[in-house]
Amino acid sequence: MLHLNRIVLSTCLVVFALVVQICVLARLQLPGAVPDLLLLVVLGLALVYGHTGGALIGFGAGLLADFAPPADHAAGRYALVLCVVGYLAGLAKPETGQLRSATGPMLVVVAAAIGATLLYAGVGILVGDDAARQVGLGKLLFTAALYDLLLAPFTVPLIMGLARRSENDPMADSAGGGGESPSRWISTAGGVSTGRIGRMSRLRRPGRAARIGSQRGGLLARTGKNRTARIKGVKRL
């Protein structure tokens, strides 16, 4: 079940994304598909809340989009699509709650864009809507994946950071200022953390090694003196 703070945050993000989707993105007149900000919001929240939360948020967001003007498709069609996508994306939630690499979430975005387009077109064919076939399914798949992939680094990490902060997640503080930033999310694609490299370099400094050696030598010397004292004491007895 979703907590109250999750419901409030998810509702605000979904409504904001839907308004931007209708008023801005849908009017860009881009070739092929339209960048799906609503889908990216569902993905970002699903990667934090898990498969159950992702499915519920996806269903609510899709149902809101089905009734929002100028929707011209059957009610419940996009709700089904985002419910399935949110559930599957929630299965990819990191076990530690923090992203180690940007490769996994990027693959999730591409798979969700392609899967949502295919599922939406498939449900449309079942209800007698073949608009996707007239436009060209291949072009829709390519442009949907491309637009969402370009938009994802600037939206998904911010959404995940807000979701973690709303739950007072300690991972939000350790990730640097309340969650993932776009630059941090993109820079993790190399798979190597600069903080880890810095720690390793400090451990390899000659001065530090010398201090560690001297500390070990002093400890061994004190141990030897104590043992000698005990032996002399036994001899005097």
Side-chain angles (χ1 to χ4, degrees), residues 130-213:
D130 58 348
R133 186 180 301 176
Q134 296 175 1
V135 176
L137 187 57
K139 183 179 180 180
L140 285 177
L141 292 176
F142 176 76
T143 54
L146 178 62
Y147 296 154
D148 292 346
L149 190 61
L150 293 176
L151 189 60
F154 306 100
T155 55
V156 176
L158 297 180
I159 293 168
M160 295 178 65
L162 289 174
R164 289 171 180 167
R165 180 177 293 181
S166 67
E167 294 189 325
N168 296 322
D169 191 344
M171 285 297 179
D173 297 330
S174 63
E180 306 287 346
S181 63
S183 58
R184 180 182 177 88
W185 203 56
I186 297 174
S187 64
T188 54
V192 179
S193 173
T194 55
R196 181 179 296 179
I197 296 177
R199 290 195 297 271
M200 293 298 294
S201 63
R202 287 197 297 271
L203 289 176
R204 293 177 181 176
R205 288 180 181 175
R208 187 178 181 87
R211 289 197 300 271
I212 294 175

Side-chain angles (χ1 to χ4, degrees), residues 3 5 14 20 29 31 38 40 61 65 69 101 110 150 163 174 192 196 217 228:
H3 301 292
N5 54 350
V14 166
V20 174
Q29 301 297 326
L38 197 61
L40 296 179
S101 173
V110 174
L150 293 176
S174 63
V192 179
R196 181 179 296 179
T228 304

Side-chain angles (χ1 to χ4, degrees), residues 13-14 23-24 31 57 68 87 142 157 161 169 176 180 190 207 210 217 219 232 234:
L13 290 176
V14 166
C23 299
V24 180
I57 294 171
Y87 178 85
F142 176 76
D169 191 344
E180 306 287 346
L219 181 61
K232 289 182 179 180
V234 171

Side-chain angles (χ1 to χ4, degrees), residues 10 25 87 117 125 189:
S10 302
L25 297 179
Y87 178 85
T117 305
I125 293 175

Side-chain angles (χ1 to χ4, degrees), residues 47-48 93-100 160 164 169 171-172 174-175 180:
L47 289 174
V48 177
K93 173 186 175 182
E95 295 181 357
T96 60
Q98 186 176 3
L99 297 177
R100 296 183 178 180
M160 295 178 65
R164 289 171 180 167
D169 191 344
M171 285 297 179
S174 63
E180 306 287 346

Side-chain angles (χ1 to χ4, degrees), residues 14 38 42 56-68 73 76-83:
V14 166
L38 197 61
V42 173
L56 294 175
I57 294 171
F59 180 79
L63 194 63
L64 187 63
D66 287 332
F67 289 101
H73 55 268
R77 180 176 171 184
Y78 202 47
L80 174 62
V81 172
L82 288 187
C83 180

